[in-house]
Amino acid sequence: MTWAVVVAVAMAVLLAGKLWFGFQPLATGGSRPYATSSTDAWEVNSFLLDDRAFLVKNESGATLTLRQQINNTSSRSIRIIDPEPALADWRRSHGPCLWQPVRAHFTAVRTGTPARTVPFTLNPGESIMLELIGRIGRPGCDAHMTGGHVGTKIDIPLRFSVFGIPRTQSIPLGLTIWESDEPERALGPDIRKLDADS
């Protein structure tokens, strides 16, 4: 094998690796995330928090559920696979007082349609609705939270496969979930109370 062939093969491998690791087919679509909560929670616009934030009363065991349309923006069909390993990584890497995603469900974008079971194929240009259910903190976090706020920026980790090779992609929502024992202290005029979890 000549040096020219070796260099060509090496360049092809590098290019393929760059394309593979840079392959980000999933993106948010439709409207901004819609959320419901089993405890007192508000959507707030405040320079003290973030441009887009949910402020949630720290009530251990309570839930905050996010719903977001996800699109396949690539020209290739992909397989959406079990999200649990990515959600487990999230729970390990974020503090126990923070919002912790525990379950993900997928449905068609139209409301009232049945859930889709992973794995399933998402074709180019096709969309799904993701429902991500998370718990607020855990018992024992209250002392850490008293009088303050803790927050986490939400980048949804979803898993997909192409050619049978699994990948995880984090999809930023431009959203932070803040938790407080006394959320009323941070509430201003530009707020909207979230609907209750059903």
Side-chain angles (χ1 to χ4, degrees):
M1 191 179 292
T2 67
W3 279 110
V5 173
V6 170
V7 169
V9 169
M11 293 296 290
V13 168
L14 286 173
L15 180 60
K18 183 176 181 180
L19 290 173
W20 170 247
F21 288 107
F23 183 54
Q24 304 272 309
L26 299 172
T28 58
S31 59
R32 300 187 306 179
Y34 173 73
T36 57
S37 179
S38 68
T39 187
D40 288 336
W42 299 264
E43 180 176 356
V44 298
N45 287 307
S46 168
F47 70 92
L48 296 175
L49 297 176
D50 289 286
D51 289 337
R52 173 127 166 100
F54 295 135
L55 180 60
V56 185
K57 184 173 180 63
N58 180 42
E59 184 179 300
S60 292
T63 58
L64 180 86
T65 302
L66 297 175
R67 293 167 186 85
Q68 175 65 56
Q69 182 177 322
I70 304 293
N71 301 334
N72 177 4
T73 61
S74 76
S75 59
R76 183 176 301 282
S77 293
I78 60 174
R79 294 280 283 172
I80 301 296
I81 58 178
D82 183 9
E84 178 50 36
L87 298 183
D89 287 344
W90 174 307
R91 292 190 292 270
R92 282 190 292 272
S93 64
H94 289 69
C97 293
L98 299 173
W99 180 80
Q100 298 278 345
V102 292
R103 284 190 316 279
H105 300 287
F106 300 96
T107 62
V109 173
R110 295 184 315 278
T111 57
T113 54
R116 297 185 73 175
T117 304
V118 292
F120 61 87
T121 299
L122 194 64
N123 294 313
E126 191 177 1
S127 301
I128 52 168
M129 186 62 70
L130 168 68
E131 180 181 80
L132 194 59
I133 303 157
R135 277 195 304 267
I136 305 301
R138 75 171 192 197
C141 283
D142 292 351
H144 171 76
M145 299 266 302
T146 301
H149 298 76
V150 295
T152 183
K153 192 165 281 293
I154 306 302
D155 294 343
I156 298 175
L158 288 183
R159 298 179 71 234
F160 66 92
S161 68
V162 178
F163 306 123
I165 304 170
R167 288 275 314 272
T168 299
Q169 179 186 341
S170 289
I171 306 168
L173 295 189
L175 167 70
T176 302
I177 296 175
W178 289 91
E179 299 163 37
S180 174
D181 285 340
E182 301 172 341
E184 296 83 0
R185 293 174 56 188
L187 296 179
D190 194 6
I191 63 169
R192 179 184 66 82
K193 190 159 189 182
L194 299 185
D195 294 333
D197 270 339
S198 54

